[in-house]
Each structure stands twice: as C-alpha cells, then as structure tokens.
Amino acid sequence: MAQYIPIAHMIAKTVGDDCEVVLHDLENPQQSVVYTVNNCVTGRQVGQSFDHLVPQVILSKKLDHDVVTNYYFRTEDGRLVKSSTALLKDFAGKVVGALCINIDTSKITAQIDWLQSLIPSSEDNSAAQEVSAEEEVTHVSEIVTDLIDKIIGDKDVARLRREEKLELIRFMDQRGIFLMKGAVDQVGSRMGISRVTVYSYIDEVRGKK
C-alpha cells in the first residue's frame, strides 16, 4: 500500500482541505485503514475497518473497471459526503486494497451557484466498456469470498466459542457482507455451521432475539 501514499497526498492537496483520502489494506479487513490524509471529513483513523466498501462499491451497479465514482453518504453529524473509490489489485489481479476519496460538500451546497456542477449527477461514462452481467456477478462474488476468508483468517473455527462466532457474524453484517447473494452459504461453509445457524446469528446480532 505504501506506493499509493504519494497519490493520496497529491489528490488531497489538489482538491483542498475538504478532501479526505483513505487507504485500505484489505488483506487485514478488521483493521483495513492504513493511511489517511485530511481525516477531518469522516474522522477515519489508522487501524479502523471499512464502512461503505461492500454495499456502495463492491455491490454497486456503477462499479466499472474496479472504480465507483460520485456516490454519497452522510456522516453521523449529518454532513453530505461525496465519495469515489478505486479497488487496488496486485500483479495477479487479486483485490488487495482500496483508495477512497471523501469530499465534504457542506461548503459547496452553501453556494447555490455551484450546486448544479458539484453535487449528485446522473451522468454515466458512456465510453466505458460494458461488462456482461455474468462476468460482473463472478467478479463481485470472488471479491466477497476473499473478504470472508480474510475476516475469518486462520482461526480454528471448530474451536471458536459461540460468542466468538457471533462477533464474526456481527462484524460481517455491519460491513454489508450479507447483502451479497450467496454470502450466507459461504460464511456457513467457511465456519462449519448451517445456513439456518448463520441466519439465527444474524438475527441475534441485529437484536431480533
């Protein structure tokens, strides 16, 4: 990930103080944040995990050539953040990280004259090469499967206590892993439990029990 640090600084200095750049190492999902610039936008700290990566990037219909641009979310204090993310691959083509750009739009939205050009746009990149639906599903499935494997890591699942299994399910649920079709079966298989048990754990961590 170190090779992307100069790029992070270049982006932040080009856009300005309201632009935060976050570098994630997805080889370590639980502490994926390894570098931040101008973290006053979301307050992300080194050692934290990802939040919006799965639902708003990996599962996004706008994902094109491993990049999703101009999606939006709100901070806990209600500020609208404009974000773009690029998935980073190693030489074998495996997704190993992510570079996220977060822009606080508070000042922008306060200036009506700039509104049309600087907040949400429905314009798509028509020049981008289309990827077949089957290839897209396969690509996304591989990424999520890899994330599940990394989250569980080298833990001896057969020796995990129930509380430890619940904590793994809670972490994955909070990160949107179960939004991916087939994720419940993958997690059940990887943890050596039935899909019924996975659903039961999900209900429990969501407070339905």
Side-chain angles (χ1 to χ4, degrees):
M1 294 299 106
Q3 63 182 315
Y4 297 101
I5 291 177
I7 298 175
H9 280 279
M10 178 190 68
I11 294 170
K13 288 182 178 180
T14 299
V15 180
D17 293 339
D18 290 330
C19 175
E20 168 189 85
V21 184
V22 182
L23 187 60
H24 291 272
D25 179 1
L26 297 181
E27 293 293 293
N28 185 15
Q30 281 90 339
Q31 293 90 35
S32 64
V33 178
V34 293
Y35 201 81
T36 65
V37 185
N38 292 346
N39 68 339
C40 57
V41 177
T42 67
R44 301 312 302 275
Q45 300 289 333
V46 171
Q48 291 181 337
S49 183
F50 55 84
D51 285 332
H52 308 282
L53 186 66
V54 173
Q56 293 191 295
V57 179
I58 294 176
L59 298 182
S60 173
K61 293 180 180 179
K62 295 174 64 179
L63 182 65
D64 182 53
H65 291 84
D66 296 315
V67 173
V68 175
T69 58
N70 303 330
Y71 61 94
Y72 294 80
F73 63 89
R74 290 194 179 274
T75 60
E76 291 184 358
D77 59 5
R79 288 174 293 122
L80 183 66
V81 176
K82 178 179 182 179
S83 186
S84 294
T85 296
L87 300 178
L88 308 176
K89 294 182 176 181
D90 60 15
F91 289 112
K94 178 182 177 182
V95 174
V96 294
L99 181 69
C100 302
I101 303 170
N102 301 318
I103 300 176
D104 186 346
T105 67
S106 298
K107 294 178 183 177
I108 296 172
T109 53
Q111 302 179 52
I112 303 301
D113 291 339
W114 292 1
L115 194 58
Q116 292 299 319
S117 61
L118 294 176
I119 64 171
S121 170
S122 59
E123 188 174 322
D124 294 322
N125 183 3
S126 59
Q129 182 178 0
E130 293 187 1
V131 181
S132 73
E134 184 177 352
E135 291 174 337
E136 188 75 22
V137 170
T138 300
H139 179 59
V140 169
S141 179
E142 289 174 351
I143 295 174
V144 175
T145 298
D146 191 48
L147 272 176
I148 291 171
D149 285 339
K150 289 172 183 173
I151 289 169
I152 296 175
D154 58 359
K155 298 179 179 65
D156 185 351
V157 293
R159 294 179 177 272
L160 289 179
R161 300 191 307 274
R162 184 176 185 278
E163 291 75 14
E164 293 173 318
K165 293 179 180 179
L166 278 171
E167 191 56 38
L168 282 173
I169 296 295
R170 178 179 290 104
F171 181 87
M172 287 186 274
D173 186 47
Q174 291 174 341
R175 267 69 192 179
I177 296 297
F178 296 112
L179 295 175
M180 172 64 192
K181 184 178 180 180
V184 169
D185 290 326
Q186 292 181 39
V187 170
S189 175
R190 185 68 173 78
M191 294 180 64
I193 56 180
S194 69
R195 68 196 312 267
V196 173
T197 301
V198 175
Y199 278 119
S200 176
Y201 284 173
I202 292 172
D203 284 344
E204 188 165 346
V205 300
R206 291 177 180 175
K208 293 182 179 180
K209 287 191 175 181

